């Protein structure tokens, strides 16, 4: 089946290659949801591929006003107007000649310009002019019959509420339905796109984040957990931290391609343990990515230098990459997709997210947070990327709590860092709660962070320490 490439970032992937040609598609949403820009972006991209579009406005927005707004976008080009991009005023026909003349006008315009794409904006405005539902329904079916022989791909744009999508007659004739909507989530005003129907092709279901920028529409596909049981190759190779005592406790290191959770209170050293893991990989020629939501890059480099670790040459030759995303700007719908894209493009072997507690604070509900981490974890495991998630434990001296969100179930290995009080002093201890497929030391060991790095010391005998 031939498909119309939308050219919108990531949308053709969601549509399994594009929109089937000669299909009739409805783009619905409330005023301001981005419907018109969505379709305009598609037809200007299509013009660059040589396709001609006929864009018919009704009574909702004048041609002059529409073009004035489009000039702000990078996809717009004056060169296409009048050649690949034909405007028509259907509203004038409706006002002066009535609804009976609409089909005749459409036929005349299509015969004259022979477009590949036809857009009516707003189709809901035409519905509102008809005197009753019966008359409008007859018009809709006549229109569908005519479109089927014109061999054009059609977009009907309308200000429909979601509850109308299953009730109104025009949705019965639609091959495809795109529904655009916005909602408030935490500190973000977010826009989502859902494909409710698309005959003749598979597509990714669910809500996909999209943004409108000067470049146009950018879609970020939903990161979803797989319904079936995760299947991936279990490897035996180990990846160490480069911290002698810890690697000995892990019988040489964590297994390649697994996910490790480092849980600890503030100041226990979660970040430096994770950073040392990437540094050890870089020294062995393995590419690592450190994604920080808490400390800027310069601060991380300075902290590493205080421990005697020089990161600069590895950052310069690409073996180590550190990205900082402000937790204020963190939008997990967008960044979860970008993280996986970054990992794939850079062929990363070791990966750190510091910390996933920032993910949790930016997601509106705890189940969505778990779904994102589960989905990211699956993708990383399939690519055999050895990953560390750090997580903040807010209870500094309390009994062992790995994470209140119960995400420890999705990880292969768990290392805890915590404080203990001993003889009127505060000490740092670490323990390994879980490793998948390898034996590990079950002692609780003291450790220290010094100008020479991290030293794991002897077993700390303190009764009832984990209770």
């Amino acid at each position: 089946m031939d498909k119309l490439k939308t050219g919108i970032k990531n949308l053709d992937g969601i549509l399994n290659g594009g929109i089937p040609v000669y299909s009739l598609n409805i783009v619905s949403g409330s005023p301001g949801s981005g419907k018109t820009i969505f379709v305009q972006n598609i037809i200007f991209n299509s013009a660059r591929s040589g396709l001609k579009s006929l864009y018919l406005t009704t009574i909702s927005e004048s041609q002059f006003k529409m073009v004035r707004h489009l000039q702000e976008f990078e996809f717009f080009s004056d060169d296409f107007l009048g050649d690949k991009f034909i405007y028509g005023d259907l509203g004038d026909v409706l006002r002066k000649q009535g609804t009976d003349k609409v089909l005749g006008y459409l036929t005349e315009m299509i015969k004259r310009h022979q477009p590949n794409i036809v857009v009516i904006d707003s189709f809901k405005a035409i519905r509102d002019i008809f005197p009753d539902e019966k008359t409008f329904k007859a018009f809709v079916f006549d229109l569908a019959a005519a479109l089927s022989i014109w061999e054009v791909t059609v977009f009907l744009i309308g200000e429909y509420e979601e509850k109308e999508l299953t009730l109104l007659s025009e949705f019965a004739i639609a091959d495809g339905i795109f529904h655009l909507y916005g909602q408030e989530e935490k500190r973000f005003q977010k826009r989502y796109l859902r494909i409710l129907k698309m005959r003749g092709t598979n597509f990714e279901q669910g809500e996909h984040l999209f943004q409108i920028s000067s470049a146009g529409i950018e879609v970020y596909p939903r990161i979803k957990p797989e319904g079936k049981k995760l299947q991936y190759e279990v490897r035996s190779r180990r990846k160490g931290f480069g911290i002698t005592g810890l690697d000995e406790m892990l019988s040489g290191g964590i297994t390649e391609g697994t996910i490790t959770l480092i849980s600890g209170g503030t100041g226990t050293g979660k970040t430096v343990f994770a950073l040392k893991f990437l540094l050890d990989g870089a020294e062995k020629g393995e590419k690592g990515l450190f994604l920080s939501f808490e400390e800027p890059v310069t601060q991380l480099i300075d902290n590493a230098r205080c421990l005697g670790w020089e990161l600069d040459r590895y950052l310069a030759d690409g073996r180590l990459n550190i990205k900082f995303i402000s937790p204020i700007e963190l939008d997990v719908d967008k960044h979860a997709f970008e993280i996986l894209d970054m990992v794939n493009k850079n062929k990363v072997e070791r990966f750190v997210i510091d910390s996933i507690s920032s993910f949790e604070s930016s997601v509106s509900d705890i189940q969505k947070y778990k779904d994102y981490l589960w989905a990211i974890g699956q993708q990383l495991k399939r690519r055999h990327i050895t990953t560390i998630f750090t997580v903040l434990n807010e209870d500094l001296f309390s009994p062992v709590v790995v994470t209140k969100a119960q995400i420890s179930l999705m990880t292969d290995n768990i290392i805890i860092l915590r404080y203990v009080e001993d003889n009127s002093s505060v000490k740092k201890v670490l323990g390994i709660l879980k490793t998948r497929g390898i034996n590990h030391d079950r002692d609780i060991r003291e450790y220290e962070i010094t100008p020479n790095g991290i030293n794991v010391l002897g077993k700390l005998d303190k009764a009832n320490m984990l209770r």
Side-chain angles (χ1 to χ4, degrees), residues 46-287:
S46 299
R48 289 181 170 80
S49 302
L51 301 182
K52 180 186 285 188
S53 297
L54 173 63
Y55 199 102
L56 300 172
T57 59
T58 56
I59 57 177
S60 61
E61 191 167 15
S62 70
Q63 296 174 22
F64 172 76
K65 188 177 178 182
M66 183 175 295
V67 170
R68 186 159 53 104
H69 290 163
L70 285 173
Q71 289 174 332
E72 302 298 321
F73 293 101
E74 294 172 11
F75 61 76
F76 177 81
S77 172
D78 283 325
D79 297 338
F80 296 136
L81 298 180
D83 178 18
K84 300 297 182 187
F85 203 105
I86 311 296
Y87 276 101
D89 188 356
L90 194 57
D92 189 57
V93 176
L94 285 164
R95 287 189 297 273
K96 295 179 179 177
Q97 302 178 45
T99 55
D100 294 343
K101 303 298 181 184
V102 170
L103 279 179
Y105 176 76
L106 277 171
T107 304
E108 178 190 337
M109 292 292 283
I110 290 173
K111 284 182 177 177
R112 184 192 307 168
H113 298 290
Q114 298 184 348
N116 306 98
I117 301 169
V118 172
V119 182
I120 299 178
D121 184 8
S122 152
F123 195 69
K124 182 71 178 297
I126 295 178
R127 157 180 273 283
D128 295 340
I129 290 175
F130 274 78
D132 54 63
E133 180 66 24
K134 182 179 179 181
T135 311
F136 179 72
K137 192 172 183 178
F139 164 77
V140 165
F141 284 102
D142 287 344
L143 176 66
L147 289 170
S148 66
I149 59 175
W150 287 337
E151 295 191 344
V152 291
T153 305
V154 179
F155 294 93
L156 305 178
I157 302 173
E159 295 78 21
Y160 297 97
E161 296 181 16
E162 188 164 0
K163 62 183 179 183
E164 296 177 305
L165 306 185
T166 56
L167 301 175
L168 301 182
S169 52
E170 52 267 48
F171 290 93
I173 64 167
D175 300 302
I177 300 174
F178 296 89
H179 185 58
L180 281 54
Y181 55 99
Q183 61 190 41
E184 195 86 25
E185 285 187 23
K186 290 285 181 95
R187 53 187 174 271
F188 298 105
Q189 178 63 42
K190 304 173 79 167
R191 297 175 188 268
Y192 287 103
L193 157 71
R194 277 195 292 145
I195 303 168
L196 303 181
K197 179 180 180 183
M198 189 59 63
R199 289 183 181 134
T201 185
N202 293 325
F203 61 91
E204 288 289 337
Q205 298 183 354
E207 61 181 16
H208 308 286
L209 178 78
F210 77 94
Q211 293 184 336
I212 301 175
S213 68
S214 59
I217 302 283
E218 295 178 341
V219 180
Y220 296 92
R222 179 171 73 98
I223 305 292
K224 65 179 189 305
E226 296 292 340
K228 58 186 179 181
K229 186 178 180 181
L230 175 62
Q231 299 288 339
Y232 64 98
E233 179 191 353
V234 178
R235 296 187 173 181
S236 58
R237 286 193 293 270
R238 304 289 176 79
K239 292 190 183 294
F241 282 76
I243 303 169
T244 304
L246 178 58
D247 289 338
E248 287 175 356
M249 293 177 74
L250 291 165
S251 300
I254 51 181
T255 306
E256 183 179 278
T258 57
I259 295 176
T260 301
L261 189 71
I262 300 181
S263 171
T266 182
T268 51
K270 301 181 296 300
T271 299
V272 294
F273 271 82
L275 194 57
K276 186 66 171 72
F277 174 72
L278 294 194
L279 179 61
D280 185 66
E283 289 170 348
K284 295 171 180 169
E286 298 173 2
K287 283 191 170 184

Side-chain angles (χ1 to χ4, degrees), residues 174-449:
D175 300 302
I177 300 174
F178 296 89
H179 185 58
L180 281 54
Y181 55 99
Q183 61 190 41
E184 195 86 25
E185 285 187 23
K186 290 285 181 95
R187 53 187 174 271
F188 298 105
Q189 178 63 42
K190 304 173 79 167
R191 297 175 188 268
Y192 287 103
L193 157 71
R194 277 195 292 145
I195 303 168
L196 303 181
K197 179 180 180 183
M198 189 59 63
R199 289 183 181 134
T201 185
N202 293 325
F203 61 91
E204 288 289 337
Q205 298 183 354
E207 61 181 16
H208 308 286
L209 178 78
F210 77 94
Q211 293 184 336
I212 301 175
S213 68
S214 59
I217 302 283
E218 295 178 341
V219 180
Y220 296 92
R222 179 171 73 98
I223 305 292
K224 65 179 189 305
E226 296 292 340
K228 58 186 179 181
K229 186 178 180 181
L230 175 62
Q231 299 288 339
Y232 64 98
E233 179 191 353
V234 178
R235 296 187 173 181
S236 58
R237 286 193 293 270
R238 304 289 176 79
K239 292 190 183 294
F241 282 76
I243 303 169
T244 304
L246 178 58
D247 289 338
E248 287 175 356
M249 293 177 74
L250 291 165
S251 300
I254 51 181
T255 306
E256 183 179 278
T258 57
I259 295 176
T260 301
L261 189 71
I262 300 181
S263 171
T266 182
T268 51
K270 301 181 296 300
T271 299
V272 294
F273 271 82
L275 194 57
K276 186 66 171 72
F277 174 72
L278 294 194
L279 179 61
D280 185 66
E283 289 170 348
K284 295 171 180 169
E286 298 173 2
K287 283 191 170 184
L289 172 63
F290 191 102
L291 198 62
S292 171
F293 296 116
E294 299 185 352
E295 296 182 64
V297 177
T298 52
Q299 186 174 326
L300 284 167
I301 294 173
D302 288 342
N303 292 346
R305 197 167 287 136
C306 291
L307 299 172
W309 304 338
E310 293 296 335
L311 306 182
D312 302 81
R313 67 188 180 99
Y314 298 121
L315 291 169
D317 67 17
R319 276 184 278 177
L320 185 57
N321 191 0
I322 302 176
K323 296 286 185 185
F324 171 71
I325 298 173
S326 167
I328 304 299
E329 300 170 359
L330 175 59
D331 181 345
V332 73
D333 287 284
K334 173 184 176 183
H335 287 109
F337 178 83
E338 291 184 334
I339 288 167
L340 291 172
D341 194 42
M342 198 184 310
V343 166
N344 292 336
K345 285 181 178 174
N346 293 297
K347 298 181 178 177
V348 167
E349 294 176 74
R350 299 190 183 207
F351 176 50
V352 170
I353 295 181
D354 182 37
S355 74
I356 57 171
S357 305
S358 300
F359 263 58
E360 183 177 356
S361 63
S362 69
V363 177
S364 56
D365 67 77
I366 196 66
Q367 187 57 52
K368 190 172 184 179
Y369 165 65
K370 291 180 183 178
D371 287 349
Y372 269 108
L373 286 181
W374 181 249
I376 289 174
Q378 285 184 323
Q379 303 258 7
L380 293 169
K381 281 189 173 186
R382 286 203 171 91
R383 291 163 177 78
H384 308 295
I385 297 165
T386 313
T387 302
I388 289 179
F389 295 156
T390 69
V391 62
L392 176 66
N393 182 355
E394 296 176 349
D395 300 319
L396 299 183
F397 293 93
S398 68
V400 173
V401 176
V402 176
T403 164
K404 292 179 180 177
Q406 298 180 335
I407 57 171
S408 53
L409 298 174
M410 66 183 70
T411 61
D412 302 293
N413 318 301
I414 299 175
I415 299 172
I416 56 164
L417 309 177
R418 62 168 302 203
Y419 296 105
V420 295
E421 183 180 351
D422 186 47
N423 293 326
S424 299
S425 65
V426 176
K427 295 182 177 178
K428 294 177 180 176
V429 298
L430 66 82
I432 300 169
L433 290 191
K434 166 184 166 185
T435 57
R436 200 181 298 278
I438 58 174
N439 290 321
H440 64 85
D441 191 323
R442 286 169 172 75
D443 290 338
I444 301 298
R445 294 186 180 273
E446 188 179 354
Y447 68 93
E448 59 181 9
I449 300 174

